[in-house]
Amino acid sequence: DVKVTQSSRYLVKRTGEKVFLECVQDMDHENMFWYRQDPGLGLRLIYFSYDVKMKEKGDIPEGYSVSREKKERFSLILESASTNQTSMYLCASSSPPGAYGYTFGSGTRLTVV
Amino acid sequence: KQEVTQIPAALSVPEGENLVLNCSFTDSAIYNLQWFRQDPGKGLTSLLLIQSSQREQTSGRLNASLDKSSGRSTLYIAASQPGDSATYLCAVNSAGNMLTFGGGTRLMVKP
C-alpha cells in the first residue's frame, strides 16, 4: 500500500515563526499536493508539484512556499506564521492519472498562537 | 470549471439501514472519481476509485457507481454500523490530474 507520512500530527507555533511541514511518500509518485481544510470551506489546494524541483500554485498560495528537492519529499513552508493559518494541513500524492488515485497523509493540525 | 455537489450534507440513521450517498459533477470529462472517508481530526482514507470507463466498484459493504454522462455517482453502504459514522467525500479527478471535492456528507449511525 502507498504510504504518505506527515511528520507531525499536532503543532503549536507562535506568530511570526517560520514553520516547516514535511510530507514523505514511498511509492515513487510524481505528483504531490498540499491542502488545507477548514470548517465550512472544505479542502483548498495550496501548492502542488509534478516533479522534483517543480512547483505550481494552487488556489490559496499566499503566505506559503514549498520545496521538493527529492521525489519522495514535499515540504510546505509558512514563512511567517499567522493566526489565520491555523488549520488542518493535508498532504497527498498520486501517479499520473489515474490508475491508483490519490493517497492522503494523516494530516497535521497546526495551531498558531 | 468542475463543480462537485454532495447530497445530503448530513444524515443520521439507525444501525442496520442501507444508505445511499449522492455526488454530482458538472463536467463529464473526468479521469476517475474517488470516494474518501474522513474521521474527525484525521486524514482522508480512500474507499473506492472508479475509472471513467467503469460503471461501479465494490469493496465489502460498499458499492460505488458512476454515470459519467449524467454526472452522477452514488455510494451505497449496506447494513450500516456505528463504526461507519464519519464524513464521506466525493472527489472528481479531471484536467491536469486535479481533484475537485464535494462538500461531504456527515454520516451518523446510531446503535
Side-chain angles (χ1 to χ4, degrees):
Chain A
D1 279 353
V2 177
K3 265 197 173 175
V4 176
T5 302
Q6 294 185 230
S7 54
S8 304
R9 288 282 287 122
Y10 301 96
L11 277 179
V12 180
K13 297 292 182 180
R14 295 193 179 278
T15 301
E17 276 194 74
K18 190 169 186 176
V19 181
F20 293 85
L21 303 184
E22 306 289 344
C23 176
V24 177
Q25 51 97 0
D26 66 0
M27 275 298 287
D28 203 35
H29 281 175
E30 288 85 355
N31 303 335
M32 297 189 74
F33 308 83
W34 274 105
Y35 293 85
R36 65 177 282 176
Q37 184 179 31
D38 301 285
L41 296 176
L43 282 97
R44 293 180 289 169
L45 181 64
I46 305 171
Y47 267 97
F48 59 101
S49 169
Y50 286 138
D51 205 344
V52 177
K53 304 283 188 184
M54 294 182 65
K55 59 184 179 183
E56 300 285 343
K57 293 180 180 179
D59 299 321
I60 51 163
E62 297 78 18
Y64 303 94
S65 63
V66 290
S67 172
R68 193 161 180 204
E69 296 297 319
K70 294 184 178 181
K71 191 174 187 179
E72 67 270 19
R73 186 180 296 272
F74 192 35
S75 303
L76 180 69
I77 304 159
L78 286 66
E79 297 289 345
S80 177
S82 64
T83 54
N84 63 12
Q85 292 178 311
T86 292
S87 186
M88 169 70 93
Y89 289 88
L90 293 163
C91 175
S93 74
S94 79
S95 56
Y100 303 107
Y102 276 49
T103 301
F104 279 80
S106 55
T108 296
R109 178 68 192 174
L110 172 67
T111 302
V112 182
V113 297
Chain B
K1 181 185 173 186
Q2 181 75 266
E3 294 181 2
V4 181
T5 304
Q6 290 186 246
I7 295 174
L11 187 60
S12 181
V13 299
E15 181 176 6
E17 278 203 8
N18 300 324
L19 309 171
V20 176
L21 308 183
N22 295 293
C23 173
S24 62
F25 49 95
T26 55
D27 186 347
S28 62
I30 66 171
Y31 295 118
N32 54 51
L33 183 146
Q34 207 166 352
W35 283 93
F36 293 94
R37 169 186 172 138
Q38 186 176 32
D39 294 290
K42 301 287 180 64
L44 276 63
T45 300
S46 182
L47 298 173
L48 290 164
L49 172 70
I50 311 178
Q51 302 295 341
S52 62
S53 59
Q54 296 175 322
R55 296 301 299 261
E56 66 177 333
Q57 282 286 338
T58 298
S59 176
R61 293 183 294 109
L62 304 179
N63 176 277
S65 68
L66 174 64
D67 185 342
K68 201 173 66 163
S69 61
S70 67
R72 295 179 190 274
S73 177
T74 60
L75 178 66
Y76 177 82
I77 304 175
S80 59
Q81 302 171 358
D84 294 330
S85 298
T87 296
Y88 291 81
L89 292 161
C90 166
V92 173
N93 189 332
S94 47
N97 191 26
M98 304 304 295
L99 282 190
T100 302
F101 287 88
T105 293
R106 191 170 63 253
L107 173 65
M108 178 174 292
V109 181
K110 298 179 180 177

